[in-house]
Amino acid sequence: MIPDFVAALRAVVGPDHLLWLTGVNAIVRDAAGRVLLHRRSDTGEWSLLSGILEPGEQPAAGVVREVEEETGLRVVVERLAAVTVSPEVRHPGGDRAQYLELVFACRPAEPGQVARAADDESLEVGWFALDGLPPVRASVSERIALALAPEQRAFFTLA
């Protein structure tokens, strides 16, 4: 779903203007070490739970909100795992965007919660072992690896 503030911007600048937006990504792992993914309704691809921050929204609060909106699952943010920049994206509707991506390592807030496709952005959700992930884009695999890195420091590049 396109946030209202992005729709308002698009009404002014049109779809061909590149928007610079802040995205949040959740790497949610359960007690068994499985990763929660969803199959996106816009592309049909398996991906991370993610979304765009609302103006003034705290990033950790935004990632918690996005996961709950998309899966019904309440999560706890454990740490900021990475700060990256996406390549330019042309969305299915034609809008151009590029994202400052904040990647958070998360866990379910309570054991026994059931994740489900809770909104129209997800066709389905599933927990996957790291050695049994469905086909995903390289950037998804990279973000998962960054969140699972043993050094527990946020990743960023200087170039």
Side-chain angles (χ1 to χ4, degrees):
M1 178 185 341
I2 299 172
D4 291 341
F5 82 96
V6 175
L9 282 171
R10 283 290 176 213
V12 174
V13 301
D16 289 325
H17 185 82
L18 180 68
L19 290 184
W20 174 251
L21 300 167
T22 304
V24 290
N25 295 256
I27 313 299
V28 183
R29 291 186 71 197
D30 67 5
R34 299 176 303 170
V35 175
L36 183 62
L37 300 175
H38 76 132
R39 198 160 61 87
R40 298 175 57 101
S41 60
D42 60 350
T43 64
E45 297 176 326
W46 285 97
S47 190
L48 300 173
L49 301 161
S50 62
I52 299 170
L53 288 179
E54 295 287 336
E57 185 175 31
Q58 290 292 330
V63 79
V64 168
R65 173 186 54 76
E66 286 290 346
V67 172
E68 188 164 9
E69 285 176 2
E70 294 174 8
T71 70
L73 189 74
R74 290 180 312 282
V75 297
V76 172
V77 173
E78 295 181 321
R79 67 186 179 89
L80 176 65
V83 178
T84 62
V85 174
S86 76
E88 182 179 324
V89 175
R90 185 167 296 267
H91 290 286
D95 293 345
R96 292 175 56 221
Q98 191 167 17
Y99 297 90
L100 173 67
E101 298 281 0
L102 306 175
V103 181
F104 290 92
C106 304
R107 63 175 168 75
E110 301 165 13
Q113 292 183 83
V114 176
R116 58 184 166 65
D119 65 11
D120 61 355
E121 293 182 37
S122 302
L123 297 173
E124 60 184 310
V125 299
W127 291 99
F128 297 92
L130 295 175
D131 61 357
L133 294 176
V136 295
R137 290 183 183 207
S139 61
V140 171
S141 295
E142 290 165 4
R143 289 183 214 146
I144 291 171
L146 290 171
L148 304 182
E151 61 269 2
Q152 301 289 309
R153 292 178 292 145
F155 169 85
F156 57 91
T157 65
L158 298 175

